[in-house]
Amino acid sequence: MTGGRMLAGRTALVTGAGKGIGRATALALAREGAHVVAVARTAGDLETLAGEGDGRIEPLAADVRDDAFLARIEAMSGLDILVNNAGGNRPRMMVDVDDETLDWMIDLNIRSVYRVARAATRVMGSGGVIVNMSSQMGHVGSPKRTVYCMSKHAVEGLTKAMAVELAPRGIRVVSIAPTFVMTPMTKGMFEDPEFKRFVYDMVPMNDLPTPEDIAESILYLVSPAARFVTGDSLRVDGGWTAR
């Protein structure tokens, strides 16, 4: 899906767009002709992103957890695509997870995803698409990721329920479930040789996807080619969850 303008005339909102998957997705959507509102907390990341977007990326420095940001979504004249990408993780053994970490992850990975999706549906019309960022961890379990797995399983449940509820309005809702991707958030993890070996041993393809690989999968989900796909999760995991 390169070189075309299949999303010309459409408006997309991408959260967590400053780095990694979100950044690659914003660029991919802009390349296909969409007007992209790119959201991140760091203005500097957004400035460089806008500079790469050929005039189709509008930077918006905001925290997805803030009421003011939700109000800005609801004030939009229309929205065709939401990539609900912002999220985070603090890997720890379950017995070591303190309440502050628990609350932070629930707030960012579940509550904010729900509230942003709710705001988006209030301004989205027929033909709209919402892509919630899940993970392979929304389908399996893994050590040091009890809270993360819980949050991504919640995203999968939210995606299914939204898809059923919004289908009569002509809005599709899907999730994307990558395996580990080499991003600024995960780079430090792979400096641990034992962790790196564990991950590669779990992926039958013995490789990791790039942020651009995930962005291309998201392009499919928001494209006309996925017209009849809703309530489902696209696992871009190199076969991890097929074991």
Side-chain angles (χ1 to χ4, degrees), residues 85-199:
N85 171 66
N89 190 18
R90 294 177 183 172
R92 297 176 186 174
M93 296 298 288
M94 182 180 183
V95 295
D96 298 325
V97 174
D98 57 89
D99 285 349
E100 187 276 330
T101 296
L102 177 64
D103 292 343
W104 175 80
M105 290 185 64
I106 290 174
D107 192 30
L108 181 59
N109 288 3
I110 302 177
R111 191 169 186 268
S112 76
V113 169
Y114 187 98
R115 296 175 82 212
V116 170
R118 183 180 64 191
T121 61
R122 291 173 175 169
V123 293
M124 189 174 281
S126 181
V129 186
I130 294 172
V131 181
N132 290 322
M133 181 55 65
S134 181
S135 165
Q136 66 184 17
M137 298 303 172
H139 299 273
V140 296
S142 189
K144 296 186 179 180
R145 282 166 177 79
T146 54
V147 183
Y148 190 74
C149 288
M150 176 178 71
S151 70
K152 293 305 183 179
H153 276 72
V155 168
E156 293 293 349
L158 172 63
T159 297
K160 291 181 176 70
M162 286 182 63
V164 172
E165 184 171 310
L166 296 175
R169 289 179 48 187
I171 296 173
R172 294 190 296 111
V173 187
V174 289
S175 69
I176 184 97
T179 187
F180 290 93
V181 182
M182 193 64 77
T183 69
M185 188 178 85
T186 63
K187 184 178 179 181
M189 301 178 190
F190 285 96
E191 293 174 357
D192 177 353
E194 184 178 347
F195 175 76
K196 183 177 180 179
R197 185 167 52 252
F198 162 71
V199 170

Side-chain angles (χ1 to χ4, degrees), residues 11-15 37 39 69 73 76 79 81-84 116:
T11 297
L13 177 70
V14 181
T15 65
V37 180
V39 182
F69 171 62
I73 297 175
M76 295 176 71
L79 181 63
I81 298 166
L82 168 66
V83 181
N84 212 356
V116 170

